[in-house]
Amino acid sequence: MDCVSTGGNVKVLAKAIHSLSRIGEELYLEPMEDGLTLRAVNSSRSAFACFMLSPLFFQRYQAPPDQAFHCKMPIKSVQAVFRSLSSLERSVEKCRIQMNSEKSRLTITLHCKHGLLKTHNLSFQDCESLQAVFDKESRGNVLQAQPRLWVDTVLHFPPSLEEVCVSVSGERVWLKNHVEDDADPSRAMMTELCLSSEEFDHFAISSQNSITFCLKELRGLLTFAESSGLPVSMYFDDPGSPVVLSVSDSVLEANFVLATLSEDSHQHSHSNSKAERCKAQPPPDDFMSDDMDSYLIAMETSELAVPSYEPAPHPCSTNHRARLSSTRQEEEEEEEEELLDRPPSKKFCSLFFGSVLPASTQLTSQTTRSQEVLASDSEDEGEKE
Amino acid sequence: MKFRAKINDVGCLNHFTRVVNTITKLTKACVLRLTVNNVYFVLSGKVANGGVSMWCELLQVNFFDEYQLEGVSADSNEICLEVAPENLSRALKTAQNAKFVKIKLTKKHCPCLTLAAELPSLSSVSRVVTHDIPVDVIPRRLWHDFKEPSMPDFDVSIYLPPLKTMKSVVDRMKNLSNYLVVEANLSGEMNLKIETDLVSVTTHFKNLGNPPWADDASQGGGQSRPVEAMAHARVDIRKLQQFLNGQQVNPSKAMCNIVDQRIVHLILLQEDVSLQYFIPAVA
């Protein structure tokens, strides 16, 4: 592989590396015919990020002849090359990335002003391809907004807050801080922000859901989106199935797939039976009402908000439902003892990592060989056969 | 018990935020006492907080455009709440460019001070952010702890030098010692001293002036006190530093009263805010 990026794109590349460093410890690099992909996954496999830089992003792009080339390296060492964004902006004119698979070296050369050359030789490890299996297009709910809106929204929450809960209705979006069950609710400050659908560039809701996910990765994507000025889209469905945050333009695409907090399986089946009996309450319009009980119930019964809101059930939801149920079963086994004492168990479903054939390395690939990984396994390469 | 207040004016909001930020720097938890005319932030001198006490008084009308209060009962028309000022400060920080801010006492999962702000948005509909700050309602039988502290029977009262100057001196002394001696006399002189086995450092301030306390009753033996005689108190340097670092109110008057070997009483006055801070002397 040999590619050269110039000017502002060097900074974009640097920002992408910085965003990925918020996710995991290692950078997975995969040069392909249709572009260079940079990926990262966190140790518990509940967050996955992928940047796809098309050949047009680069001034010159040459994929390796051997298609099945994948490697990984500590992200810290790559980050070190692009550490200071301001000096990159000031002095770097172009950046060349070369892969030498014989010597197992990735060479990053920064061509600076006055003919100064900075060459970094990084060692890497061969690995299997890392790919989360997700399909953002089939998600029922899509929110797209300018990065400024997301940044302003996230600013209301304290930096120490780990998880945020997003709820949607026909014309509004609520964000709340998620407080862990074991935390003392009488000590935590609860923050809630209500946004009108008009503030979004694109607002398509087919089911009134509430999802809870980690803020850290969203913040990571936002620093990238803000610097590039690209709108951020959020694709999601039921609680428990991953949320996809996405940024794209003509030459690059970034997808962050984050696990969302799933509801307890017992609660879920219970609410399903309840669903048939009673009509769901849409989330209350009054922003002041923040009663925890009613809030939880709204979350559980949110599925049946679909028929009342949109007559036809969502066409693609069966696929997820099936996947969810298999996850649910595993959870049930894992948490049988816990079920009794604490109703909403805190559990992030891990993402699904499937082995991906080189021929089908598109982001949306759903392979039959995909296998789910629930336990955290930092040594796992993503390939499970 | 009901409380509801509203700030429309950005200037008032900033001012109130600065006061809350100042309190935040001084203590993790304090009592918010609400009366018909005033808002108080109170810290009573418990051993747990190093014996330091604080009394901050705001005139309600100077901050709030609307202010409704229904106290515990008609004869004691006030509310006492224990609150973490940091939460209040954080909530106010996110409301800095709000069109208005409402503060309400609410009953949520626990008693809360709910701060709701309407923020400008990209659309015709405003963004609304609400923060539920958990509070503890303080029962009436404990109120006596949170009454205005009486003016100590001080030996010397003196105007403080510019607080920035004092801060830079104290910040440097902090590196050398954990304790600092504040001493002052009635002829406008004040010294800040540290004494360790290795080094003694003294910063002298002159011509500071002594406030004319109208009723000399509180000054006790002041009449007979020789003007040159220093009253001194040895205090925990961190407490003094906290006070100097945190203050964001830009007082029109800053004074210090010293009870010899007992207490340092610092007073910051602004037209609508007064802040008193008591640091006990250590042996």
Side-chain angles (χ1 to χ4, degrees), chain B residues 170-204:
Chain B
V170 172
D171 282 349
R172 276 159 188 76
M173 289 182 164
K174 164 101 191 324
N175 298 329
L176 300 170
S177 173
N178 292 330
Y179 296 97
L180 174 142
V181 176
V182 185
E183 56 179 26
N185 63 18
L186 289 170
S187 65
E189 291 173 337
M190 185 173 100
N191 302 330
L192 300 177
K193 295 204 293 200
I194 53 159
E195 276 160 3
T196 67
D197 294 344
L198 293 173
V199 65
S200 298
V201 182
T202 308
T203 305
H204 301 272

Short mmCIF file of all heavy atoms in Angstrom, two decimals, chain B residues 170-204:
data_model
loop_
_atom_site.label_atom_id
_atom_site.label_comp_id
_atom_site.label_asym_id
_atom_site.label_seq_id
_atom_site.Cartn_x
_atom_site.Cartn_y
_atom_site.Cartn_z
N VAL B 170 -0.07 34.61 49.20
CA VAL B 170 -0.47 33.39 49.92
C VAL B 170 -0.14 32.15 49.09
O VAL B 170 0.32 31.13 49.62
CB VAL B 170 -1.96 33.46 50.30
CG1 VAL B 170 -2.44 32.14 50.88
CG2 VAL B 170 -2.19 34.58 51.30
N ASP B 171 -0.35 32.25 47.78
CA ASP B 171 -0.03 31.11 46.91
C ASP B 171 1.43 30.69 47.04
O ASP B 171 1.75 29.51 47.03
CB ASP B 171 -0.31 31.46 45.44
CG ASP B 171 -1.79 31.39 45.10
OD1 ASP B 171 -2.56 30.86 45.94
OD2 ASP B 171 -2.17 31.86 44.01
N ARG B 172 2.31 31.68 47.14
CA ARG B 172 3.73 31.36 47.27
C ARG B 172 4.06 30.81 48.65
O ARG B 172 4.85 29.88 48.80
CB ARG B 172 4.58 32.59 46.96
CG ARG B 172 4.78 32.73 45.47
CD ARG B 172 5.15 34.11 45.03
NE ARG B 172 5.12 34.20 43.58
CZ ARG B 172 4.02 34.28 42.86
NH1 ARG B 172 2.84 34.30 43.46
NH2 ARG B 172 4.08 34.34 41.55
N MET B 173 3.45 31.40 49.66
CA MET B 173 3.71 30.92 51.02
C MET B 173 3.22 29.49 51.22
O MET B 173 3.78 28.73 52.00
CB MET B 173 3.03 31.85 52.03
CG MET B 173 3.72 33.20 52.12
SD MET B 173 2.95 34.23 53.34
CE MET B 173 4.21 35.49 53.56
N LYS B 174 2.18 29.15 50.47
CA LYS B 174 1.62 27.80 50.58
C LYS B 174 2.66 26.73 50.28
O LYS B 174 2.62 25.64 50.84
CB LYS B 174 0.44 27.71 49.59
CG LYS B 174 -0.05 26.35 49.25
CD LYS B 174 -1.29 26.03 50.02
CE LYS B 174 -1.71 24.58 49.94
NZ LYS B 174 -1.49 23.92 48.68
N ASN B 175 3.60 27.06 49.39
CA ASN B 175 4.65 26.09 49.05
C ASN B 175 5.61 25.84 50.20
O ASN B 175 6.35 24.87 50.19
CB ASN B 175 5.44 26.58 47.84
CG ASN B 175 4.57 26.72 46.63
OD1 ASN B 175 3.60 25.98 46.47
ND2 ASN B 175 4.88 27.69 45.78
N LEU B 176 5.63 26.75 51.14
CA LEU B 176 6.63 26.66 52.21
C LEU B 176 6.06 26.13 53.52
O LEU B 176 6.77 25.54 54.31
CB LEU B 176 7.25 28.05 52.47
CG LEU B 176 7.97 28.68 51.27
CD1 LEU B 176 8.32 30.12 51.58
CD2 LEU B 176 9.22 27.89 50.93
N SER B 177 4.79 26.37 53.72
CA SER B 177 4.25 25.98 55.02
C SER B 177 2.76 25.68 54.92
O SER B 177 2.10 26.08 53.96
CB SER B 177 4.45 27.12 56.02
OG SER B 177 3.80 26.83 57.23
N ASN B 178 2.25 24.95 55.90
CA ASN B 178 0.82 24.66 55.92
C ASN B 178 0.03 25.67 56.74
O ASN B 178 -1.17 25.71 56.69
CB ASN B 178 0.57 23.27 56.50
CG ASN B 178 1.09 22.19 55.58
OD1 ASN B 178 1.10 22.38 54.36
ND2 ASN B 178 1.55 21.09 56.16
N TYR B 179 0.77 26.45 57.52
CA TYR B 179 0.08 27.42 58.38
C TYR B 179 0.62 28.81 58.13
O TYR B 179 1.79 29.00 57.80
CB TYR B 179 0.25 27.04 59.86
CG TYR B 179 -0.40 25.73 60.15
CD1 TYR B 179 0.36 24.55 60.18
CD2 TYR B 179 -1.77 25.66 60.36
CE1 TYR B 179 -0.26 23.33 60.40
CE2 TYR B 179 -2.39 24.43 60.58
CZ TYR B 179 -1.63 23.28 60.60
OH TYR B 179 -2.24 22.08 60.81
N LEU B 180 -0.26 29.77 58.30
CA LEU B 180 0.12 31.15 58.05
C LEU B 180 -0.40 31.99 59.21
O LEU B 180 -1.49 31.74 59.74
CB LEU B 180 -0.51 31.58 56.72
CG LEU B 180 -0.38 33.02 56.27
CD1 LEU B 180 -0.18 33.07 54.78
CD2 LEU B 180 -1.62 33.81 56.61
N VAL B 181 0.40 32.97 59.62
CA VAL B 181 -0.03 33.86 60.69
C VAL B 181 -0.50 35.16 60.06
O VAL B 181 0.21 35.78 59.27
CB VAL B 181 1.11 34.12 61.70
CG1 VAL B 181 0.66 35.15 62.75
CG2 VAL B 181 1.54 32.83 62.36
N VAL B 182 -1.73 35.51 60.36
CA VAL B 182 -2.25 36.81 59.93
C VAL B 182 -2.17 37.71 61.14
O VAL B 182 -2.66 37.37 62.22
CB VAL B 182 -3.73 36.71 59.50
CG1 VAL B 182 -4.21 38.04 58.95
CG2 VAL B 182 -3.91 35.61 58.48
N GLU B 183 -1.51 38.85 61.00
CA GLU B 183 -1.54 39.79 62.11
C GLU B 183 -1.78 41.20 61.62
O GLU B 183 -1.41 41.55 60.50
CB GLU B 183 -0.27 39.68 62.97
CG GLU B 183 1.03 39.86 62.23
CD GLU B 183 2.24 39.77 63.15
OE1 GLU B 183 2.16 39.11 64.19
OE2 GLU B 183 3.26 40.40 62.81
N ALA B 184 -2.42 41.99 62.46
CA ALA B 184 -2.78 43.35 62.06
C ALA B 184 -2.92 44.21 63.31
O ALA B 184 -3.10 43.69 64.40
CB ALA B 184 -4.08 43.33 61.28
N ASN B 185 -2.79 45.52 63.11
CA ASN B 185 -3.01 46.43 64.23
C ASN B 185 -3.98 47.53 63.83
O ASN B 185 -4.52 47.53 62.71
CB ASN B 185 -1.69 46.98 64.76
CG ASN B 185 -0.97 47.82 63.71
OD1 ASN B 185 -1.57 48.26 62.74
ND2 ASN B 185 0.33 48.01 63.91
N LEU B 186 -4.19 48.46 64.74
CA LEU B 186 -5.18 49.50 64.50
C LEU B 186 -4.60 50.71 63.78
O LEU B 186 -5.26 51.73 63.64
CB LEU B 186 -5.84 49.91 65.83
CG LEU B 186 -6.77 48.85 66.43
CD1 LEU B 186 -7.18 49.21 67.84
CD2 LEU B 186 -7.99 48.64 65.55
N SER B 187 -3.31 50.60 63.34
CA SER B 187 -2.78 51.72 62.57
C SER B 187 -2.57 51.31 61.11
O SER B 187 -1.65 51.76 60.44
CB SER B 187 -1.49 52.25 63.19
OG SER B 187 -0.49 51.26 63.12
N GLY B 188 -3.42 50.44 60.64
CA GLY B 188 -3.44 50.11 59.21
C GLY B 188 -2.33 49.21 58.72
O GLY B 188 -2.01 49.21 57.54
N GLU B 189 -1.75 48.42 59.60
CA GLU B 189 -0.68 47.52 59.16
C GLU B 189 -1.14 46.07 59.28
O GLU B 189 -1.75 45.68 60.27
CB GLU B 189 0.56 47.73 60.03
CG GLU B 189 1.22 49.06 59.80
CD GLU B 189 2.35 49.31 60.80
OE1 GLU B 189 2.35 48.71 61.89
OE2 GLU B 189 3.23 50.12 60.47
N MET B 190 -0.79 45.32 58.26
CA MET B 190 -1.10 43.90 58.31
C MET B 190 0.10 43.11 57.82
O MET B 190 0.76 43.51 56.87
CB MET B 190 -2.30 43.58 57.44
CG MET B 190 -2.75 42.14 57.55
SD MET B 190 -4.28 41.81 56.70
CE MET B 190 -3.62 41.10 55.23
N ASN B 191 0.39 41.99 58.48
CA ASN B 191 1.49 41.13 58.05
C ASN B 191 0.96 39.72 57.80
O ASN B 191 0.12 39.22 58.54
CB ASN B 191 2.57 41.03 59.13
CG ASN B 191 3.13 42.38 59.49
OD1 ASN B 191 3.18 43.28 58.67
ND2 ASN B 191 3.55 42.52 60.75
N LEU B 192 1.50 39.11 56.75
CA LEU B 192 1.25 37.69 56.52
C LEU B 192 2.58 36.99 56.74
O LEU B 192 3.58 37.33 56.10
CB LEU B 192 0.76 37.46 55.09
CG LEU B 192 -0.54 38.16 54.71
CD1 LEU B 192 -0.87 37.92 53.24
CD2 LEU B 192 -1.69 37.68 55.58
N LYS B 193 2.61 36.03 57.66
CA LYS B 193 3.88 35.42 58.04
C LYS B 193 3.80 33.91 57.96
O LYS B 193 2.79 33.31 58.30
CB LYS B 193 4.21 35.75 59.51
CG LYS B 193 4.45 37.19 59.81
CD LYS B 193 5.31 37.33 61.06
CE LYS B 193 4.59 36.88 62.32
NZ LYS B 193 5.21 37.46 63.54
N ILE B 194 4.92 33.32 57.54
CA ILE B 194 5.06 31.89 57.78
C ILE B 194 6.36 31.66 58.52
O ILE B 194 7.34 32.40 58.34
CB ILE B 194 5.04 31.05 56.48
CG1 ILE B 194 6.06 31.57 55.48
CG2 ILE B 194 3.68 30.99 55.86
CD1 ILE B 194 6.44 30.53 54.48
N GLU B 195 6.35 30.68 59.37
CA GLU B 195 7.55 30.36 60.12
C GLU B 195 7.74 28.86 60.09
O GLU B 195 6.87 28.11 60.52
CB GLU B 195 7.42 30.85 61.57
CG GLU B 195 7.79 32.30 61.72
CD GLU B 195 7.22 32.91 62.99
OE1 GLU B 195 6.60 32.19 63.79
OE2 GLU B 195 7.42 34.12 63.17
N THR B 196 8.87 28.43 59.55
CA THR B 196 9.19 27.01 59.60
C THR B 196 10.60 26.90 60.19
O THR B 196 11.25 27.90 60.45
CB THR B 196 9.18 26.37 58.20
OG1 THR B 196 10.25 26.91 57.44
CG2 THR B 196 7.88 26.63 57.48
N ASP B 197 11.04 25.68 60.35
CA ASP B 197 12.38 25.46 60.90
C ASP B 197 13.44 26.08 60.00
O ASP B 197 14.48 26.55 60.45
CB ASP B 197 12.67 23.96 61.04
CG ASP B 197 11.75 23.33 62.06
OD1 ASP B 197 11.16 24.11 62.85
OD2 ASP B 197 11.61 22.10 62.06
N LEU B 198 13.18 26.07 58.69
CA LEU B 198 14.18 26.52 57.74
C LEU B 198 14.06 27.98 57.37
O LEU B 198 15.05 28.63 57.08
CB LEU B 198 14.08 25.68 56.45
CG LEU B 198 14.44 24.21 56.60
CD1 LEU B 198 14.14 23.47 55.32
CD2 LEU B 198 15.91 24.07 56.96
N VAL B 199 12.85 28.48 57.37
CA VAL B 199 12.68 29.82 56.83
C VAL B 199 11.53 30.56 57.52
O VAL B 199 10.57 29.94 57.97
CB VAL B 199 12.45 29.74 55.30
CG1 VAL B 199 11.15 29.04 54.96
CG2 VAL B 199 12.49 31.11 54.64
N SER B 200 11.71 31.86 57.62
CA SER B 200 10.62 32.71 58.07
C SER B 200 10.39 33.77 56.99
O SER B 200 11.35 34.39 56.54
CB SER B 200 10.96 33.43 59.37
OG SER B 200 11.18 32.47 60.37
N VAL B 201 9.17 33.92 56.56
CA VAL B 201 8.86 34.91 55.54
C VAL B 201 7.73 35.78 56.05
O VAL B 201 6.76 35.28 56.61
CB VAL B 201 8.41 34.24 54.22
CG1 VAL B 201 8.14 35.27 53.15
CG2 VAL B 201 9.44 33.23 53.75
N THR B 202 7.89 37.08 55.89
CA THR B 202 6.81 37.99 56.28
C THR B 202 6.57 38.97 55.15
O THR B 202 7.51 39.50 54.57
CB THR B 202 7.16 38.77 57.55
OG1 THR B 202 7.56 37.84 58.56
CG2 THR B 202 5.98 39.58 58.04
N THR B 203 5.32 39.16 54.81
CA THR B 203 4.96 40.21 53.87
C THR B 203 4.23 41.29 54.65
O THR B 203 3.29 41.00 55.39
CB THR B 203 4.04 39.66 52.76
OG1 THR B 203 4.69 38.55 52.15
CG2 THR B 203 3.76 40.70 51.71
N HIS B 204 4.72 42.52 54.51
CA HIS B 204 4.14 43.63 55.27
C HIS B 204 3.25 44.47 54.37
O HIS B 204 3.63 44.81 53.25
CB HIS B 204 5.26 44.53 55.80
CG HIS B 204 6.23 43.81 56.69
ND1 HIS B 204 6.05 43.68 58.04
CD2 HIS B 204 7.38 43.17 56.40
CE1 HIS B 204 7.06 42.98 58.55
NE2 HIS B 204 7.89 42.66 57.55
#
